[in-house]
Amino acid sequence: ATPALSVAIAPLWTGTHTFSNPTYSALFTGGNVGIGTTAPAQKLDIAGGLNVSQVATIGGNMAVGGTATISGAASLGGTLTLPGTITSAAGNPILLQTAGVTRMVVAPSGNIGIGTTTPAQALDVVGNTHVSGNQIIDGNTTIGGTLNITGTFNTSGNITASCIGTGCLTVSGMFGTDN
């Protein structure tokens, strides 16, 4: 039987030491600990899977060289840099939240919702929007309320207004068309 280490016999280790039994194996070398590897390159180097059943706190940077699977909640107190792909399990959306509230969702259908968790269109925005650049629309536009235009409005296509009654289309200010 391998004796257990105790504080009373805690040695000052130099060189390389291997501890193993039929279930566990660890290598201590040059101040680094290797599990499943004989050449640990970091303070803790694990070749194989890692399962953390409680909270794991990382005070510095964390790099994932392969796939990171998170099956529960994860919180981040710093910057998250993703040089690759974010995926979700089949049928699950990708949610972006702040203060515990979902602000944006990528639905399993591929639709993106801002201000809604059930986007019905490729881009579904519930709330006000602001576009400071040009807006190019290559299809039809349906407006379910009032269209207010501040500034100049130019079109190279047709403008059709259909309604019942008077005052359906009111134009004031500069209005230009190429047709």
Side-chain angles (χ1 to χ4, degrees):
T2 304
L5 293 178
S6 70
V7 175
I9 61 167
L12 177 59
W13 288 336
T14 59
T16 300
H17 299 277
T18 302
F19 295 92
S20 64
N21 64 32
T23 308
Y24 305 105
S25 175
L27 174 74
F28 300 84
T29 180
N32 294 340
V33 176
I35 300 175
T37 178
T38 57
Q42 301 294 325
K43 293 295 180 189
L44 176 60
D45 196 336
I46 301 171
L50 172 66
N51 181 19
V52 178
S53 61
Q54 297 294 319
V55 174
T57 302
I58 298 169
N61 296 328
M62 181 177 91
V64 177
T67 300
T69 301
I70 300 170
S71 59
S75 66
L76 181 68
T79 300
L80 176 63
T81 302
L82 300 170
T85 302
I86 299 174
T87 61
S88 67
N92 290 319
I94 296 173
L95 305 174
L96 296 179
Q97 297 183 338
T98 59
V101 177
T102 299
R103 306 300 180 171
M104 188 170 96
V105 62
V106 179
S109 65
N111 292 346
I112 297 172
I114 299 174
T116 178
T117 57
T118 56
Q121 305 296 324
L123 177 61
D124 197 340
V125 179
V126 174
N128 297 331
T129 62
H130 174 83
V131 179
S132 62
N134 294 329
Q135 198 170 18
I136 299 169
I137 302 170
D138 288 328
N140 296 325
T141 301
T142 301
I143 299 170
T146 302
L147 173 64
N148 294 312
I149 299 171
T150 303
T152 302
F153 178 77
N154 292 307
T155 181
S156 59
N158 296 325
I159 297 176
T160 303
S162 59
C163 65
I164 299 172
T166 59
C168 294
L169 178 63
T170 303
V171 177
S172 61
M174 181 177 251
F175 184 82
T177 181
D178 292 339
N179 291 341

